[in-house]
Amino acid sequence: MELRKIYRPKPERGQGDSPPDQDVVMRPKVGLALGSGVARGWAHIGVLKRLEREAFQPDYVCGTSIGALIGGMYLAGKLDALEEWARDLGKSGLFRLLDIRLSGGGLISGNKLFTLLEDTLGNTRIEDLPVPFAAVTTELGTGHEIWIREGNLAEAITASYALPGLFSPQKIHDRWLIDGALTNPVPVSVCRALGARLVIAVNLNADVFGMTNIGEAESAFMAEEAGNGTAPYTRAPLNLMKRRFFDKSGTEPSIFGVMMSSLNIVQDRLSRSRLAGDPPDITIAPRLARFGLLEFNRAAEMIAEGEDAADRSMDFLKQAMDVLA
């Protein structure tokens, strides 16, 4: 069964009636909610690839943080380019994109990543995408959940993944915006508000409970890369940052380890709460517990897991489409 349309023949007509034909019964409006999860978001690419093989095209796409990045690139027709870039990304390549600073609203200014996004997307605007799209962010001053549904796509994506403490807040329409994962990690409610009758949620935090050492794994990764391949005039602040933020002394967790572990807890607990109050019709849950939040260099493995997770949910998705048709 093709997921885009469902075709059902009409009953045969009596003599004198017009010739038999076919009814084309459009499927229900479907929303795709792509959740937050930092590097684990590469699994979204695998999910989208598997759905595309079934000729599935969503009517609405909503994304939070890395989900906004993948969703926006998908609708802009840049998913293949993003996948190729992600598969080739090594630890050193990632760290060179992180323009680290010791002042301002975040450890990373994000200018290099924004420039990369801008070069890829150009002046693409959200309202020009083929289907409605929303990037979920959080207003820093009020804590309100903000949905960006128009304007520059690259700016909206950057605001949605502006993780507090790491990336600087983004100012859009006189409001400072930070990561949407702080208010709505898996934006099922946004899809419903836009008009979706059936919502498919991709939850990247479904099986990460109990990963108590994840923050220290991230610290080890960052400490290994801090100062590698950098110019002499930047090594001193990077080495200072390495000692202050990433090194683990004795049994006390590092600052960066605490930050990453805290983010993991927030995403897990908030996802459970929001999804309990507004559950999706279908949940695609990649098994990502073995991946760290910053292991962007393991894209190939996570993409494969995303494909497998979508495959595991495919029968449920087809049944839901049949029921609501």
Side-chain angles (χ1 to χ4, degrees):
M1 180 189 72
E2 184 183 306
L3 292 180
R4 181 61 182 169
K5 295 181 180 179
I6 301 172
Y7 297 90
R8 288 179 176 169
K10 283 184 177 180
E12 293 187 5
R13 302 175 185 269
Q15 188 175 4
D17 289 329
S18 56
D21 61 1
Q22 284 187 330
D23 277 344
V24 178
V25 181
M26 295 300 293
R27 59 161 175 74
K29 295 288 187 180
V30 177
L32 187 60
L34 303 177
S36 62
V38 199
R40 295 184 185 125
W42 293 145
H44 286 315
I45 297 176
V47 171
L48 289 169
K49 289 177 62 178
R50 180 65 182 89
L51 292 177
E52 279 190 332
R53 288 203 296 272
E54 294 289 336
F56 172 80
Q57 298 176 31
D59 298 285
Y60 309 96
V61 176
C62 301
T64 297
S65 195
I66 188 72
L69 170 64
I70 305 298
M73 296 289 275
Y74 165 67
L75 293 180
K78 304 293 184 180
L79 190 65
D80 289 342
L82 178 63
E83 179 183 357
E84 182 179 355
W85 180 81
R87 289 180 180 274
D88 291 339
L89 184 65
K91 290 183 180 180
S92 299
L94 170 64
F95 204 80
R96 281 194 293 269
L97 289 172
L98 305 182
D99 36 5
I100 294 172
R101 61 182 183 178
L102 299 181
S103 62
L107 187 62
I108 299 165
S109 72
N111 292 332
K112 290 183 180 179
L113 284 170
F114 178 74
T115 299
L116 184 64
L117 264 180
E118 200 172 36
D119 289 344
T120 303
L121 295 172
N123 294 319
T124 302
R125 297 185 64 81
I126 294 174
E127 53 267 39
D128 295 332
L129 296 174
V131 303
F133 171 75
V136 179
T137 70
T138 303
E139 186 177 9
L140 183 60
T142 64
H144 293 164
E145 179 181 335
I146 305 296
W147 306 344
I148 305 179
R149 297 183 55 198
E150 60 183 17
N152 184 277
L153 178 59
E155 290 182 356
I157 290 171
T158 304
S160 187
Y161 69 59
L163 181 63
L166 273 187
F167 290 102
S168 299
Q170 301 298 304
K171 194 172 188 179
I172 298 179
H173 299 312
D174 294 323
R175 293 188 291 194
W176 288 104
L177 303 177
I178 56 176
D179 200 323
L182 297 178
T183 49
N184 197 349
V186 189
V188 172
S189 58
V190 187
C191 288
R192 294 208 190 280
L194 295 186
R197 189 178 179 203
L198 186 149
V199 177
I200 304 166
V202 185
N203 184 4
L204 304 178
N205 305 297
D207 73 333
V208 296
F209 176 73
M211 293 191 64
T212 56
N213 294 322
I214 184 171
E216 294 312 321
E218 308 302 343
S219 287
F221 165 71
M222 294 294 282
E224 177 185 344
E225 294 303 315
N228 287 351
T230 57
Y233 63 86
T234 62
R235 285 178 188 152
L238 284 172
N239 287 333
L240 172 64
M241 181 188 65
K242 175 180 175 180
R243 292 193 301 271
R244 184 72 181 91
F245 287 87
F246 306 128
D247 284 350
K248 184 178 179 181
S249 176
T251 58
E252 184 178 356
S254 68
I255 294 176
F256 196 76
V258 171
M259 287 171 57
M260 288 295 99
S261 292
S262 298
L263 171 63
N264 207 56
I265 293 169
V266 168
Q267 287 189 126
D268 174 55
R269 296 302 173 176
L270 189 52
S271 295
R272 291 169 186 248
S273 176
R274 292 296 301 255
L275 294 177
D278 193 357
D281 300 288
I282 301 293
T283 299
I284 297 176
R287 296 165 182 165
L288 302 170
R290 65 188 184 277
F291 300 106
L293 291 178
L294 289 182
E295 289 188 302
F296 288 94
N297 56 302
R298 299 178 67 184
E301 299 169 75
M302 288 184 262
I303 291 170
E305 175 51 35
E307 291 190 66
D308 290 344
D311 192 61
R312 292 192 295 269
S313 301
M314 196 55 61
D315 286 343
F316 298 105
L317 176 54
K318 291 178 178 180
Q319 290 168 17
M321 299 286 283
D322 279 340
V323 169
L324 294 179

